[in-house]
Amino acid sequence: MLKIEVCLSPQLIHLFELKGKIVVVTDILRATSCMTTGIASGVAKIKPVATLDECRALKKDGYYTAAERNGEKVEGFDIGNSPYSYMEERFSGKKIATTTTNGTLAITKSTDADEVIIGSFLNLSTVANYLINKGKDIIIHCAGWKGNYSLEDTLFAGALVEKLESGFELGDDASFSALTSYKSAKNNLLETILGSSHAKRLEKHNIRKDIELCCTIDKYNTLPYLKAGVLIKK
Ligand code: MLT
């Protein structure tokens, strides 16, 4: 039987064998929600990079630049990390380079996998349907917060496990605890996530509407897919 595992933080990804598997990277607040929104809104390519310098340098290759640190936009870049920015008409058909505190790091640490796809509540069912048909073991890689556990990413992992559990064996305790956490929070998802440490951090920057959007299930049937280091529409 195919197996599903959950990696709760990029600090733990070295414990997982990625080869032969599909990795779903998730950073609900807000990196992977931005990437899903961007690709669904017509952005042609999104290039995730780990550092500010790498991102800045891509300007000369025709990329718009997006950068966030500690929930805030970084000075000197075109945009920060709000999904609403990724909806802007000026980015349609264009390419964006992005670096964030956790999400882009998690993506760059997943590239030994056969495939890397982007998961958020916004495209939950699209991700599940893709995985059901692929016939490969899965690792859900939670971006967390600076190496630590994050509630919202784990709840997404639980939501995806719930959709897949009939066809996959739960390969570790993290997948089981993510599932039980999601089952107890699914009827109050937004309220539950508003209690998370990063949601509180973002609320200090008056970013409530981003949180509400990032907690919306199945707004898009779009699958951002990593190909040669760049996210494109699958
Ligand atoms: C991250 O990568 O840590 C998040 O996406 C941060 C944010 O957008 O607030």
Short mmCIF file of all heavy atoms in Angstrom, two decimals, residues 30 33-35 37-38 41 43 79-91 96 122 206-216 219-220:
data_model
loop_
_atom_site.label_atom_id
_atom_site.label_comp_id
_atom_site.label_asym_id
_atom_site.label_seq_id
_atom_site.Cartn_x
_atom_site.Cartn_y
_atom_site.Cartn_z
N ARG A 30 2.22 32.44 4.56
CA ARG A 30 1.34 32.63 3.44
C ARG A 30 1.94 32.17 2.10
O ARG A 30 1.31 32.23 1.06
CB ARG A 30 1.02 34.14 3.28
CG ARG A 30 0.26 34.72 4.45
CD ARG A 30 0.31 36.24 4.45
NE ARG A 30 1.68 36.66 4.81
CZ ARG A 30 2.08 37.93 4.69
NH1 ARG A 30 1.26 38.86 4.21
NH2 ARG A 30 3.31 38.27 5.05
N SER A 33 0.16 29.71 -0.21
CA SER A 33 -1.13 30.31 -0.58
C SER A 33 -0.91 31.37 -1.66
O SER A 33 -1.69 31.49 -2.60
CB SER A 33 -1.79 30.92 0.66
OG SER A 33 -2.03 29.91 1.64
N CYS A 34 0.19 32.12 -1.55
CA CYS A 34 0.55 33.12 -2.57
C CYS A 34 0.86 32.43 -3.90
O CYS A 34 0.41 32.87 -4.96
CB CYS A 34 1.77 33.91 -2.12
SG CYS A 34 1.45 35.08 -0.82
N MET A 35 1.64 31.37 -3.85
CA MET A 35 2.05 30.68 -5.07
C MET A 35 0.83 30.09 -5.80
O MET A 35 0.71 30.21 -7.02
CB MET A 35 3.06 29.59 -4.73
CG MET A 35 4.38 30.14 -4.21
SD MET A 35 5.36 28.93 -3.33
CE MET A 35 6.74 29.96 -2.80
N THR A 37 -2.30 31.19 -5.50
CA THR A 37 -3.08 32.33 -6.01
C THR A 37 -2.44 32.93 -7.24
O THR A 37 -3.12 33.25 -8.23
CB THR A 37 -3.19 33.41 -4.90
OG1 THR A 37 -3.81 32.82 -3.75
CG2 THR A 37 -3.99 34.60 -5.36
N GLY A 38 -1.11 33.05 -7.24
CA GLY A 38 -0.40 33.63 -8.37
C GLY A 38 -0.57 32.81 -9.64
O GLY A 38 -0.97 33.34 -10.69
N SER A 41 -3.96 32.99 -10.93
CA SER A 41 -4.31 34.33 -11.46
C SER A 41 -3.56 34.66 -12.73
O SER A 41 -3.66 35.79 -13.23
CB SER A 41 -4.01 35.39 -10.39
OG SER A 41 -4.69 35.09 -9.18
N VAL A 43 -0.03 34.26 -13.32
CA VAL A 43 1.42 34.46 -13.28
C VAL A 43 2.07 33.28 -14.00
O VAL A 43 1.72 32.13 -13.74
CB VAL A 43 1.93 34.55 -11.83
CG1 VAL A 43 3.46 34.61 -11.78
CG2 VAL A 43 1.32 35.76 -11.11
N ILE A 79 7.10 43.45 -4.35
CA ILE A 79 6.00 43.10 -3.46
C ILE A 79 6.53 42.30 -2.27
O ILE A 79 7.68 41.87 -2.27
CB ILE A 79 4.89 42.28 -4.18
CG1 ILE A 79 5.47 41.01 -4.81
CG2 ILE A 79 4.17 43.12 -5.22
CD1 ILE A 79 4.38 40.10 -5.42
N GLY A 80 5.60 42.09 -1.30
CA GLY A 80 5.95 41.27 -0.14
C GLY A 80 5.40 39.87 -0.35
O GLY A 80 5.65 39.25 -1.39
N ASN A 81 4.58 39.38 0.59
CA ASN A 81 4.08 38.01 0.50
C ASN A 81 2.59 37.94 0.80
O ASN A 81 2.15 37.10 1.58
CB ASN A 81 4.87 37.12 1.47
CG ASN A 81 4.79 35.65 1.10
OD1 ASN A 81 4.77 35.28 -0.07
ND2 ASN A 81 4.70 34.81 2.12
N SER A 82 1.82 38.85 0.16
CA SER A 82 0.37 38.79 0.33
C SER A 82 -0.26 38.15 -0.90
O SER A 82 0.06 38.52 -2.03
CB SER A 82 -0.23 40.18 0.48
OG SER A 82 -1.66 40.08 0.38
N PRO A 83 -1.17 37.18 -0.71
CA PRO A 83 -1.83 36.57 -1.89
C PRO A 83 -2.55 37.61 -2.75
O PRO A 83 -2.67 37.44 -3.96
CB PRO A 83 -2.79 35.58 -1.28
CG PRO A 83 -2.86 35.86 0.17
CD PRO A 83 -1.60 36.58 0.54
N TYR A 84 -2.99 38.71 -2.15
CA TYR A 84 -3.67 39.76 -2.92
C TYR A 84 -2.72 40.43 -3.89
O TYR A 84 -3.11 40.83 -4.99
CB TYR A 84 -4.32 40.76 -1.98
CG TYR A 84 -5.53 40.19 -1.27
CD1 TYR A 84 -5.44 39.70 0.02
CD2 TYR A 84 -6.74 40.08 -1.94
CE1 TYR A 84 -6.53 39.13 0.65
CE2 TYR A 84 -7.84 39.50 -1.32
CZ TYR A 84 -7.73 39.03 -0.02
OH TYR A 84 -8.81 38.44 0.58
N SER A 85 -1.44 40.52 -3.52
CA SER A 85 -0.46 41.10 -4.46
C SER A 85 -0.33 40.22 -5.70
O SER A 85 -0.19 40.72 -6.82
CB SER A 85 0.91 41.22 -3.78
OG SER A 85 0.83 42.03 -2.62
N TYR A 86 -0.42 38.91 -5.52
CA TYR A 86 -0.24 37.97 -6.63
C TYR A 86 -1.43 37.96 -7.58
O TYR A 86 -1.38 37.36 -8.65
CB TYR A 86 0.02 36.56 -6.08
CG TYR A 86 1.45 36.36 -5.63
CD1 TYR A 86 1.89 36.84 -4.39
CD2 TYR A 86 2.36 35.69 -6.42
CE1 TYR A 86 3.20 36.67 -3.98
CE2 TYR A 86 3.68 35.51 -6.03
CZ TYR A 86 4.09 36.00 -4.81
OH TYR A 86 5.40 35.84 -4.42
N MET A 87 -2.51 38.64 -7.19
CA MET A 87 -3.69 38.73 -8.07
C MET A 87 -3.61 39.92 -9.02
O MET A 87 -4.43 40.07 -9.90
CB MET A 87 -4.95 38.90 -7.22
CG MET A 87 -5.34 37.75 -6.33
SD MET A 87 -6.79 38.23 -5.34
CE MET A 87 -6.98 36.79 -4.29
N GLU A 88 -2.60 40.79 -8.80
CA GLU A 88 -2.53 42.04 -9.56
C GLU A 88 -2.36 41.77 -11.07
O GLU A 88 -1.55 40.93 -11.47
CB GLU A 88 -1.41 42.93 -9.05
CG GLU A 88 -1.65 43.45 -7.62
CD GLU A 88 -0.48 44.25 -7.09
OE1 GLU A 88 0.35 44.72 -7.92
OE2 GLU A 88 -0.34 44.36 -5.85
N GLU A 89 -3.11 42.52 -11.86
CA GLU A 89 -3.13 42.35 -13.31
C GLU A 89 -1.73 42.47 -13.93
O GLU A 89 -1.38 41.76 -14.87
CB GLU A 89 -4.07 43.41 -13.92
CG GLU A 89 -4.40 43.23 -15.38
CD GLU A 89 -4.80 41.78 -15.71
OE1 GLU A 89 -5.55 41.19 -14.89
OE2 GLU A 89 -4.32 41.26 -16.72
N ARG A 90 -0.89 43.34 -13.35
CA ARG A 90 0.44 43.60 -13.94
C ARG A 90 1.32 42.35 -13.96
O ARG A 90 2.30 42.29 -14.69
CB ARG A 90 1.15 44.72 -13.18
CG ARG A 90 1.47 44.42 -11.71
CD ARG A 90 2.23 45.55 -11.06
NE ARG A 90 2.28 45.39 -9.61
CZ ARG A 90 3.30 45.79 -8.87
NH1 ARG A 90 4.40 46.29 -9.45
NH2 ARG A 90 3.26 45.66 -7.55
N PHE A 91 0.97 41.34 -13.13
CA PHE A 91 1.80 40.13 -13.08
C PHE A 91 1.30 39.03 -14.02
O PHE A 91 1.96 38.00 -14.17
CB PHE A 91 1.85 39.60 -11.65
CG PHE A 91 2.48 40.55 -10.67
CD1 PHE A 91 1.84 40.83 -9.47
CD2 PHE A 91 3.68 41.16 -10.94
CE1 PHE A 91 2.41 41.73 -8.56
CE2 PHE A 91 4.27 42.05 -10.03
CZ PHE A 91 3.62 42.34 -8.86
N ILE A 96 7.78 35.93 -11.42
CA ILE A 96 8.08 36.52 -10.11
C ILE A 96 9.09 35.64 -9.38
O ILE A 96 8.92 34.42 -9.30
CB ILE A 96 6.80 36.64 -9.25
CG1 ILE A 96 5.75 37.52 -9.93
CG2 ILE A 96 7.12 37.16 -7.86
CD1 ILE A 96 4.42 37.62 -9.18
N LEU A 122 -6.32 26.53 -0.43
CA LEU A 122 -6.92 27.08 -1.65
C LEU A 122 -7.02 26.05 -2.78
O LEU A 122 -7.90 26.14 -3.63
CB LEU A 122 -6.12 28.29 -2.13
CG LEU A 122 -6.10 29.50 -1.18
CD1 LEU A 122 -4.98 30.46 -1.56
CD2 LEU A 122 -7.45 30.21 -1.21
N ASN A 206 -1.77 43.99 10.77
CA ASN A 206 -3.08 44.23 10.13
C ASN A 206 -3.24 43.46 8.83
O ASN A 206 -3.63 44.01 7.81
CB ASN A 206 -3.29 45.74 9.87
CG ASN A 206 -3.27 46.52 11.16
OD1 ASN A 206 -3.79 46.04 12.17
ND2 ASN A 206 -2.59 47.66 11.15
N ILE A 207 -2.94 42.16 8.90
CA ILE A 207 -3.02 41.34 7.67
C ILE A 207 -4.13 40.27 7.83
O ILE A 207 -4.03 39.14 7.40
CB ILE A 207 -1.65 40.68 7.39
CG1 ILE A 207 -0.57 41.75 7.27
CG2 ILE A 207 -1.68 39.85 6.14
CD1 ILE A 207 0.84 41.21 7.06
N ARG A 208 -5.23 40.65 8.49
CA ARG A 208 -6.33 39.71 8.77
C ARG A 208 -6.91 39.14 7.48
O ARG A 208 -7.18 37.95 7.37
CB ARG A 208 -7.42 40.43 9.58
CG ARG A 208 -8.71 39.66 9.83
CD ARG A 208 -8.49 38.49 10.77
NE ARG A 208 -9.77 37.80 11.07
CZ ARG A 208 -10.42 37.93 12.23
NH1 ARG A 208 -9.94 38.72 13.16
NH2 ARG A 208 -11.53 37.24 12.45
N LYS A 209 -7.08 39.98 6.45
CA LYS A 209 -7.79 39.49 5.25
C LYS A 209 -6.94 38.45 4.51
O LYS A 209 -7.48 37.53 3.89
CB LYS A 209 -8.25 40.62 4.34
CG LYS A 209 -7.23 41.47 3.63
CD LYS A 209 -7.95 42.55 2.80
CE LYS A 209 -7.04 43.48 2.02
NZ LYS A 209 -6.10 42.90 1.12
N ASP A 210 -5.64 38.56 4.64
CA ASP A 210 -4.78 37.51 4.05
C ASP A 210 -5.07 36.17 4.73
O ASP A 210 -5.19 35.13 4.09
CB ASP A 210 -3.30 37.85 4.26
CG ASP A 210 -2.78 38.91 3.31
OD1 ASP A 210 -3.60 39.65 2.75
OD2 ASP A 210 -1.54 39.00 3.15
N ILE A 211 -5.19 36.21 6.07
CA ILE A 211 -5.40 34.97 6.82
C ILE A 211 -6.72 34.33 6.40
O ILE A 211 -6.80 33.11 6.17
CB ILE A 211 -5.39 35.25 8.34
CG1 ILE A 211 -4.06 35.89 8.78
CG2 ILE A 211 -5.66 33.98 9.14
CD1 ILE A 211 -4.05 36.42 10.20
N GLU A 212 -7.75 35.16 6.27
CA GLU A 212 -9.07 34.65 5.88
C GLU A 212 -9.00 33.99 4.50
O GLU A 212 -9.51 32.89 4.29
CB GLU A 212 -10.10 35.78 5.90
CG GLU A 212 -10.42 36.26 7.32
CD GLU A 212 -11.25 37.53 7.35
OE1 GLU A 212 -11.53 38.11 6.28
OE2 GLU A 212 -11.59 37.96 8.48
N LEU A 213 -8.30 34.63 3.56
CA LEU A 213 -8.17 34.05 2.22
C LEU A 213 -7.40 32.73 2.29
O LEU A 213 -7.81 31.72 1.72
CB LEU A 213 -7.47 35.01 1.27
CG LEU A 213 -7.25 34.48 -0.15
CD1 LEU A 213 -8.57 34.25 -0.87
CD2 LEU A 213 -6.36 35.42 -0.96
N CYS A 214 -6.31 32.70 3.06
CA CYS A 214 -5.46 31.50 3.14
C CYS A 214 -6.18 30.32 3.79
O CYS A 214 -5.77 29.17 3.62
CB CYS A 214 -4.19 31.83 3.92
SG CYS A 214 -3.11 33.03 3.09
N CYS A 215 -7.26 30.58 4.52
CA CYS A 215 -8.03 29.52 5.16
C CYS A 215 -9.24 29.10 4.33
O CYS A 215 -10.08 28.32 4.79
CB CYS A 215 -8.49 29.97 6.55
SG CYS A 215 -7.12 30.23 7.68
N THR A 216 -9.34 29.62 3.11
CA THR A 216 -10.45 29.28 2.22
C THR A 216 -10.15 27.98 1.49
O THR A 216 -9.09 27.84 0.87
CB THR A 216 -10.66 30.41 1.18
OG1 THR A 216 -10.79 31.65 1.89
CG2 THR A 216 -11.87 30.15 0.32
N LYS A 219 -10.66 27.26 -3.37
CA LYS A 219 -10.99 28.46 -4.18
C LYS A 219 -10.47 28.27 -5.61
O LYS A 219 -11.04 28.82 -6.57
CB LYS A 219 -10.38 29.70 -3.55
CG LYS A 219 -10.63 31.01 -4.29
CD LYS A 219 -10.05 32.20 -3.50
CE LYS A 219 -10.12 33.51 -4.29
NZ LYS A 219 -11.49 33.96 -4.61
N TYR A 220 -9.38 27.51 -5.74
CA TYR A 220 -8.75 27.31 -7.06
C TYR A 220 -8.56 25.83 -7.37
O TYR A 220 -8.30 25.04 -6.48
CB TYR A 220 -7.37 27.99 -7.09
CG TYR A 220 -7.37 29.47 -6.80
CD1 TYR A 220 -6.69 29.98 -5.70
CD2 TYR A 220 -8.03 30.36 -7.63
CE1 TYR A 220 -6.67 31.34 -5.43
CE2 TYR A 220 -8.03 31.73 -7.38
CZ TYR A 220 -7.34 32.21 -6.28
OH TYR A 220 -7.34 33.57 -6.03
#
